[in-house]
Amino acid sequence: MLKELQFSLSIVLLLACGFLYQITLRSYCLFSCLPSSKFQQGLDALLSQGHSIVFLETSERLEPPPLVSCAVESAAKTYPEQPVVFFMKGLNHSTQPPSNSSHPGLSLLSAMDNVFLSPLDLNRLFEDTPLFSWYTHINSKAEKHWLHVSSDASRLAIIWKYGGIYMDTDVISIRPIPEENFLAAQSSQVSSNGVFGFLPHHPFLWECMENFVEHYNSHIWGNQGPILITRMLRLWCKLRDFQELSDHRCQNMSFLHPHRFYPISFSHWKRYYEVWDTEPTFNNSYALHLWNHMNQGKKTVIKGSNTLVENLYRKYCPTTYRHLVQGPKG
């Protein structure tokens, strides 16, 4: 009788340990521990639905800082039924997954059901686009702004091939964008390339890629990015100043009012890191661009500071805030 009781207790203990082990895996392991179906699904099949949210990391960095994590998490929360694909140059198909202890941000993102981490293969990406001949002949080591130029090119090719919405990794999503083909105005007659969306094989993006190669000059900052997009938009549309909060319509695409993504302009980027007497509601915005290029790591999110950016993290990327900002003690 005693042996049977000991055996039964042993079985219960083993089951309990197994249950706790599964919980631990779900909470802390990296993408190698996720359901295998998530990775058996081919990238083309994943993106072919045409409504993915796309982020890019063209450096070799594997651990996303809190702002990048917040951008991806906020998109995953805002678009729960859509795949959020984070292309990372540092990943490759033969690389062993990094450990959670050294890459907590990457582990955090990979545990989200609709977030997919993918290697960024530029050679494959640019195939069958006007960018392929340019890429195969360029000496990337001699390029002054290669990380930015390669990112400018990649976002055009990805959205042209597959469709969806591209976002910079310093853009916090707050509500769904109701447009299919759109560009984001940074100011009255200037377009950003930090957020845009199109259906697959849209001719505007094809012409942008052709113009990218024809007028390539990486020494001019933004020449392959917002300057290119604005130049092409002016060929397609007759631009005029925005009236109140109305968006512009042109042919089969929209040019969205600056308040949709840039309610705080680049010259006032520090306002995100200040305490407001009355915080803005951003009722007319779909997402917020935090101007990380202007910041350059000068200011960060500090727990308990009650700054605008801390409160944005709490609301739109709470998991990032809890694990990467607040920390275990919080």
Side-chain angles (χ1 to χ4, degrees):
M1 182 70 181
L2 181 59
K3 289 184 178 180
E4 291 178 355
L5 180 59
Q6 289 175 334
F7 179 76
S8 299
L9 289 174
S10 299
I11 295 297
V12 171
L13 181 60
L14 285 172
L15 290 172
C17 290
F19 177 71
L20 291 173
Y21 179 69
Q22 291 299 320
I23 292 176
T24 303
L25 280 179
R26 179 59 184 165
S27 302
Y28 296 104
C29 73
L30 198 64
F31 51 87
S32 61
C33 304
L34 295 177
S36 60
S37 60
K38 198 171 182 181
F39 302 99
Q40 293 170 353
Q41 195 175 10
L43 182 62
D44 287 350
L46 182 69
L47 294 168
S48 64
Q49 302 168 50
H51 60 275
S52 299
I53 314 300
V54 172
F55 294 90
L56 288 171
E57 176 59 69
T58 52
S59 76
E60 297 293 330
R61 180 174 64 184
L62 277 175
E63 174 58 12
L67 179 54
V68 176
S69 178
C70 183
V72 177
E73 181 189 350
S74 66
K77 284 173 57 63
T78 303
Y79 305 90
E81 303 302 319
Q82 297 173 230
V84 177
V85 184
F86 190 11
F87 288 90
M88 304 180 72
K89 186 69 166 57
L91 289 178
N92 63 68
H93 295 290
S94 61
T95 300
Q96 289 297 317
S99 67
N100 172 67
S101 59
S102 57
H103 297 83
L106 199 61
S107 177
L108 181 152
L109 293 179
S110 67
M112 297 178 186
D113 290 338
N114 62 327
V115 172
F116 299 83
L117 308 178
S118 173
L120 178 61
D121 184 345
L122 295 181
N123 197 68
R124 180 175 179 270
L125 174 61
F126 294 145
E127 284 180 352
D128 304 319
T129 77
L131 298 169
F132 186 71
S133 60
W134 159 80
Y135 176 69
T136 53
H137 290 89
I138 198 78
N139 179 7
S140 61
K141 294 180 180 179
E143 294 297 298
K144 185 178 181 181
H145 303 297
W146 178 246
L147 292 182
H148 301 283
V149 168
S150 59
S151 178
D152 290 335
S154 298
R155 67 190 71 176
L156 293 173
I158 289 172
I159 302 302
W160 179 81
K161 279 190 171 184
Y162 303 109
I165 296 172
Y166 166 81
M167 293 185 183
D168 278 351
T169 52
D170 57 351
V171 173
I172 297 178
S173 296
I174 60 178
R175 59 178 54 88
I177 302 168
E179 305 285 343
E180 286 185 324
N181 301 313
F182 72 89
L183 294 172
Q186 183 173 311
S187 58
S188 189
Q189 297 190 27
V190 176
S191 179
S192 159
N193 75 331
V195 185
F196 62 87
F198 286 92
L199 294 172
H201 297 165
H202 196 284
F204 178 80
L205 294 182
W206 183 267
E207 291 186 17
C208 283
M209 290 188 287
E210 289 181 326
N211 197 279
F212 183 105
V213 177
E214 183 179 354
H215 296 279
Y216 183 73
N217 186 344
S218 63
H219 295 287
I220 300 175
W221 173 258
N223 187 63
Q224 312 308 126
I227 295 176
L228 164 68
I229 299 296
T230 301
R231 182 167 66 237
M232 295 305 300
L233 180 62
R234 288 173 178 166
L235 293 178
W236 274 59
C237 306
K238 185 177 180 180
L239 297 182
R240 61 192 187 280
D241 290 339
F242 287 95
Q243 300 298 319
E244 297 180 345
L245 288 171
S246 298
D247 302 318
H248 290 335
R249 308 288 175 180
C250 170
Q251 298 193 42
N252 66 341
M253 64 181 180
S254 300
F255 188 39
L256 302 185
H257 192 282
H259 270 263
R260 306 297 180 223
F261 304 99
Y262 303 100
I264 296 178
S265 65
F266 74 93
S267 59
H268 297 96
W269 68 270
K270 292 181 181 179
R271 294 288 282 143
Y272 280 114
Y273 296 87
E274 295 174 358
V275 177
W276 292 54
D277 292 333
T278 302
E279 290 192 355
T281 60
F282 299 117
N283 287 336
N284 298 305
S285 302
Y286 303 132
L288 306 174
H289 194 290
L290 266 62
W291 304 107
N292 194 48
H293 179 67
M294 301 294 293
N295 187 358
Q296 296 290 317
K298 297 171 187 174
K299 293 183 178 292
T300 59
V301 180
I302 300 173
K303 67 176 182 178
S305 61
N306 199 34
T307 55
L308 175 59
V309 69
E310 184 191 21
N311 293 329
L312 291 173
Y313 272 49
R314 282 179 175 145
K315 185 172 183 180
Y316 298 109
C317 54
T319 305
T320 295
Y321 179 76
R322 188 164 57 250
H323 291 281
L324 302 186
V325 177
Q326 197 174 33
K329 290 183 179 179

